[in-house]
Amino acid sequence: AQAALKKVQAEKKKAEAKKKAEAAGEEYVEEEDEEEPKEEDVKEEVKEEEEEKADEPDEWEETEELIQARKDLKSGKKTVASILFPYGEFFADSPQPLFPATSYAADMDVADGCFRYLQKMFQEVEECHAFELLRNSHDRGNYLITTHARIIAMTCTHAALTRSTLVNLNFKYDNLIMEESAQILEVETFIPMLLQQSDQGVSRLKRVMFIGDHHQLPPVVKNRAFQKYGHLDQSLYARFVRLKTPTVDLNLQGRARAQIADLYSWRYKDLGNLSNVLTDKRYRAANAGLSHEYQFINVDDFEGQGESQPTPHFYQNLGEAEYCVALFMYMRLLGYPANKISILSTYNGQKALIRDVIRQRCAWNPLFGEPSKVTTVDRFQGQQNDFIIVSLVRTNHVGHLRDVRRLVVTMSRSRYGLYVFGRFGLFENCFELAPVFTRFAKRPRKLSLEMEEPAGETERACGEIGKPTLVKDVHHMWALLQDRMKAQFASAAQVVASGSGPVASGPASE
């Protein structure tokens, strides 16, 4: 049929061409006919077309997968959502079956959850794309601050140094928390509030929270004139308290033993104790080798001298320095970790002297080592440790300890033990310090040790006194320390000689 149709069309074209030639007066030249396709070739082409059609799948032919899906739908084993879900292989490692098939809505919830997981995954990939473009750490840090960071911590000084950078980065935040705000200068308090551009003249900052203690040390202002007449040592936090701004007062402490907290709780309104300081075993047990959890040790002149000033206002007291280091070494022999003991002083000169004594006496010996910190009370504000040894230095005048805020800081740094060395007769007559020193006066003014108590934990309860040994002075303390060292070393030698292995307690076993 196709061949016949082609033949008819060819003859028609010839007739039209012949008419055009006659009308133009030209001679018509008949073109040679194309060779007609052979019947065999036509049959072969038809056969190939039929084979190709046979290879193509029938749109309406049902596959086994479709038949099985219909059976599952009829039996209720699966829902449309679970059958059409395209990522079954990807979630093959999740708990199976992936779809509960209890209802269409339940399966749709699972499918939605899977899609949310995939969206989150691609979102994380997209977020990491920026790190491929940003090559240096500075640009990457700025990117994290402005896009990913939810909490950013910095000091007021750093905020002042980087303010222009943060503003240019279009840095935004809604909430500001200032910790130790009672120790920050009033003008410095405003710097963290101005790290972003205002929106049409209105700051987007919604909430500012000050956390601090105005009963402790204020900001440091070295210029006396500014401090006294300009009141620059008053923080914004203290100003709000002075103006009777409503505050939320914390009325429970969970750091120190209840007995130690009693030394400064009088300064606060209704300050109580959390349950942990009343029930935990470590708070209820006494300090091994020491009769009291806190004590004021009176230190008389050492070799005929009390306080000294190698240079003006550089106060030192050699007797107290030696006493403090001797107590530290005694505690180390009893197994107290060095990083749990700190030595504080109220003056920089005494801090330097104590460090010199430690280097000479025990820093070189691995049995003792050095305390966690040797620093001043002012520097130690905001920190704490298990055991605090304090040197008050002065023997002629009370000095700046007369500031009750510094006294509160000194008394509130320890958890389990507080041992203060100073001239008791000088400080007990100071009216501002009376609430604390009346409590110290109820206990012996000589260091009370439990020399018969073994190293390690003690079964003695807090507040219970065993067989105390009262230390007369610094020389007596060093003698007792030497005896303790000899006894402990002899015991260790016997254990090693008997082949029982190393000693199980004391600093050497840490």
Short mmCIF file of all heavy atoms in Angstrom, two decimals, residues 13-14 17 28-34:
data_model
loop_
_atom_site.label_atom_id
_atom_site.label_comp_id
_atom_site.label_asym_id
_atom_site.label_seq_id
_atom_site.Cartn_x
_atom_site.Cartn_y
_atom_site.Cartn_z
N LYS A 13 3.41 14.33 -9.59
CA LYS A 13 4.47 15.33 -9.69
C LYS A 13 4.97 15.49 -11.12
O LYS A 13 5.27 16.59 -11.59
CB LYS A 13 5.65 14.94 -8.76
CG LYS A 13 5.36 15.16 -7.29
CD LYS A 13 6.58 14.78 -6.47
CE LYS A 13 6.32 14.99 -5.00
NZ LYS A 13 7.49 14.65 -4.18
N LYS A 14 5.09 14.36 -11.87
CA LYS A 14 5.55 14.42 -13.27
C LYS A 14 4.58 15.22 -14.13
O LYS A 14 4.99 16.04 -14.97
CB LYS A 14 5.69 13.01 -13.84
CG LYS A 14 6.89 12.25 -13.32
CD LYS A 14 6.93 10.85 -13.95
CE LYS A 14 8.10 10.05 -13.41
NZ LYS A 14 8.16 8.69 -14.02
N ALA A 17 4.93 18.93 -13.42
CA ALA A 17 6.17 19.46 -13.98
C ALA A 17 6.08 19.63 -15.49
O ALA A 17 6.60 20.58 -16.08
CB ALA A 17 7.33 18.53 -13.62
N TYR A 28 10.44 19.61 -21.90
CA TYR A 28 10.33 18.83 -20.66
C TYR A 28 11.21 17.60 -20.72
O TYR A 28 11.13 16.84 -21.70
CB TYR A 28 8.88 18.42 -20.42
CG TYR A 28 8.70 17.48 -19.26
CD1 TYR A 28 8.87 17.92 -17.96
CD2 TYR A 28 8.38 16.12 -19.49
CE1 TYR A 28 8.71 17.05 -16.90
CE2 TYR A 28 8.22 15.26 -18.42
CZ TYR A 28 8.40 15.72 -17.14
OH TYR A 28 8.26 14.86 -16.05
N VAL A 29 12.06 17.47 -19.77
CA VAL A 29 12.95 16.30 -19.69
C VAL A 29 12.48 15.43 -18.54
O VAL A 29 12.44 15.88 -17.38
CB VAL A 29 14.42 16.72 -19.46
CG1 VAL A 29 15.31 15.48 -19.39
CG2 VAL A 29 14.87 17.64 -20.59
N GLU A 30 12.10 14.23 -18.86
CA GLU A 30 11.55 13.33 -17.83
C GLU A 30 12.69 12.71 -17.01
O GLU A 30 13.67 12.22 -17.57
CB GLU A 30 10.75 12.24 -18.50
CG GLU A 30 10.03 11.35 -17.50
CD GLU A 30 9.14 10.32 -18.18
OE1 GLU A 30 9.04 10.35 -19.42
OE2 GLU A 30 8.57 9.49 -17.47
N GLU A 31 12.58 12.87 -15.72
CA GLU A 31 13.59 12.28 -14.81
C GLU A 31 13.36 10.78 -14.69
O GLU A 31 12.25 10.29 -14.82
CB GLU A 31 13.47 12.92 -13.41
CG GLU A 31 13.80 14.39 -13.41
CD GLU A 31 13.64 14.98 -12.04
OE1 GLU A 31 13.24 14.23 -11.11
OE2 GLU A 31 13.92 16.18 -11.85
N GLU A 32 14.49 10.11 -14.43
CA GLU A 32 14.41 8.67 -14.27
C GLU A 32 13.71 8.33 -12.95
O GLU A 32 13.93 8.98 -11.94
CB GLU A 32 15.82 8.06 -14.26
CG GLU A 32 16.53 8.22 -15.60
CD GLU A 32 17.89 7.56 -15.57
OE1 GLU A 32 18.24 6.97 -14.50
OE2 GLU A 32 18.60 7.62 -16.56
N ASP A 33 12.84 7.35 -13.02
CA ASP A 33 12.12 6.92 -11.81
C ASP A 33 13.06 6.24 -10.85
O ASP A 33 14.02 5.56 -11.23
CB ASP A 33 10.99 5.96 -12.20
CG ASP A 33 9.93 6.65 -13.04
OD1 ASP A 33 9.85 7.89 -12.91
OD2 ASP A 33 9.22 5.95 -13.79
N GLU A 34 12.76 6.55 -9.62
CA GLU A 34 13.53 5.86 -8.57
C GLU A 34 13.21 4.38 -8.62
O GLU A 34 12.10 3.98 -8.93
CB GLU A 34 13.17 6.43 -7.19
CG GLU A 34 13.63 7.86 -7.01
CD GLU A 34 13.26 8.37 -5.63
OE1 GLU A 34 12.68 7.61 -4.86
OE2 GLU A 34 13.58 9.54 -5.36
#
